[in-house]
Amino acid sequence: MADFIKHPVVELPERKPEPVIPADQLHFSEDEKKQIQTWISRYPTADGAVMRALWLAQEKFSFLPPEVIQLVADELGMPYAKAYGVATFYTQYFKEKKGKYVLDVCTCFSCQLCGGFDMLHYLEEKLGVHKGETTADGVFTVQEAECLGACGSAPMLQITNGTYVHHLTKDKIDALVDALREDKVPAFTSVTLPQDEDEMGGNRRTDVAATESYGVCPVSETTR
Amino acid sequence: MSKAGDWRNYKRVLLPPVKDLHRLDVYEANEGYRALREVLTTDKWTPTSVTDEVKKSGLKGRGGAGFPTGLKWSFMPPVNPDVPRFLCCNGDESEPGTFKDRQLLEYNPHLVFEGILIACYAMTIRKAFLYVRGEFADWISLMEAELEKAYAKGYVGQNIMGSGFSCDIVIHKGAGAYICGEESSLMNSLEGKRAYPRIKPPFPAQKGVWGYPTTINNVETLACAPLIIRNGGEWYAGIGAPTHAGPVLYGISGHVNRPGVYEYPTGMLITDLINEVAGGMRGGKKLKALIPGGSSTPILRADMIDGVTMDADSLRAAGSMMGTSGMLIMDEDTDIVSWLRRITHFYHHESCGQCTPCREGTGWLENIVTRIDEGEGNLRDLDLLIDLCSQMEGRTVCALADAAAWPVRYTIDRFRSEFEAKCKPSLVASGLEMATV
Ligand SMILES: Cc1cc2nc3c(=O)[nH]c(=O)nc-3n(C[C@H](O)[C@H](O)[C@H](O)COP(=O)(O)O)c2cc1C
Ligand code: SF4
Ligand code: FES
């Protein structure tokens, strides 16, 4: 029996596909290791820091192929299978290479009723891709997102797990795509509260340059 | 009748009109951390008396289930110095239609921190996790900067204000999964596991994160704690509806002129919220339906909201729930079937896949509603959907299956004619649908 396991009749496939990250780049810097140790110290066990460590790895390598997940697992001293399980559970961890900018257009619930699908279709047409695909030049990936917790400023999208763009219109998408082609990512925008506008004349955060107030949502043309 | 009293002159407390309240110095100048200081340094307050004050206030959880918060806190077992215990603050906020916690975390983060610390004192907890959904990356960075300042000033950390009480707050960044909002799933996520919900019992107060006693509360719930300490439980209980008291953040979205997050007492008339607070319907259209508290709460037709107020009792009587008070307003042009199709897609996408009725059921809900929406359905599908809902509800590890089934069940129940109109016309007209399938 043991012999059979050691010398299988059928050739077993490699456990992991060919690495895409060159071996000489596949490591964390000292600073990054220190950062991970800080996170570990905040949890009762090292496993608690796995989500933060995966985030760090994704920022560094832009996505999480198996060898990167292995790297994270080794750093935390947890089994690869467990780290892999976590990485594959959440939608924000990219398991395959995406475009430089991932545009997550919300089409859920409120956004759907306020023109989220119009915006998604417009973006798809503009960039010549379907949702889930990346443009040939590798700059944009268009995705359909579930509710991103900004329903009051629908329709909206998120740029690569970061900045929110509220109150989408076709003009706004045009401007956004142009800006991103020049690597100008819009700044964090604070959405003001309607009651603040009545009681204190607008935005309460004076440290945020860009603000937007809630406004009437557009009439949606398509709902799917 | 509105239970919110003179709501037009209501003074906001969760999000008071103060510029730059998110900054520590401004927060301090506006009674910030006063409640915490009082709790930690005066003899008036003990862990028991803080919990009792919260009980007196009638505060109910704002995370969806509306469980009395003081009672939840008292479920924690007696303190054993050898056994660590934890607090989790639930800022996952992924329920479609809900966007209030994000505004609270952006504009008044220190109130949330102070609430967390008071809750920790009341339950003698030394470590709290603030779980925020990964999509809120920008807000997490902003909050971390503020939390660092609070640490530097000695409001958080070791020996707070020289009282001997120590407590750490850890901000945990999620990575995009609705299910992490469910309390036991959140705990698994924190532990660095796949975020599968756990079977209850054991409840978190017995066996929570890493197997230790844990309490989980929503962001808005915990933000109420400093207010209750500052002004007293009786003051809090006197705001809004007597049986569901307090200020509440209404997140209004959809076809209104002024969507947004509004703070008002509970017990507001829904009609007041739409017509006066949110500026009326967009383009003067008529109201068709609304969702009172996030995607899982049953839909209400326009003719069902006369005199209905936003509190648990009134909404239950009307046939819905308070949920997260994230209200979606739909005008007369809304295609209810397409809307339901998208929401079934959401639940299918977000089911964690642990239980068969949920994993398969949510998929079939989506398939069948999609079929109807494409004009390929037949009348029997409607009963099939209701039957499917009955097979899902109450048979799974967590309540996501119920949350997925309710919108389908109640939308079909309350808008059946719209579904029938989309079913195959020939079969509807001839009544032959039973014979042909
Ligand atoms: C599928 C599902 C998703 C949930 N999502 C959230 C959420 O995003 N935020 C939240 O505060 N509570 C959410 N809850 C409710 C929590 O399980 C829990 O009841 C709540 O955080 C308790 O806090 P409270 O007592 O302050 O309301 C969810 C529950 C279920 C079943
Ligand atoms: S009900 Fe659904 S989401 Fe909840 S544990 Fe079961 S499969 Fe997962
Ligand atoms: S529905 Fe799009 S952000 Fe909530």
Side-chain angles (χ1 to χ4, degrees), chain B residues 179 196-197 350-356 358-359 396-402:
Chain B
I179 193 60
Y196 285 141
E350 299 298 339
S351 165
C352 83
Q354 218 182 174
C355 333
T356 314
C358 174
R359 183 185 62 236
T396 51
V397 171
C398 86
L400 186 134
D402 305 70

Side-chain angles (χ1 to χ4, degrees), chain B residues 61-65 67 72 90 92-94 178-179 181-183 216-218 221 399-400:
Chain B
R62 302 287 194 242
F67 193 82
K72 191 185 257 187
N90 190 341
D92 192 58
E93 187 160 74
S94 312
Y178 167 64
I179 193 60
E182 204 281 335
E183 52 191 21
I216 301 191
N217 278 122
N218 173 257
T221 314
L400 186 134

Side-chain angles (χ1 to χ4, degrees), chain A residues 43 190-191 203 206 214, chain B residues 19-20 103 106-107 172 282:
Chain A
Y43 295 88
S190 183
V191 179
N203 182 35
T206 53
Y214 284 111
Chain B
K19 279 240 187 272
D20 287 326
Q103 300 281 40
E106 175 178 350
Y107 288 126
H172 186 92
R282 179 186 68 183

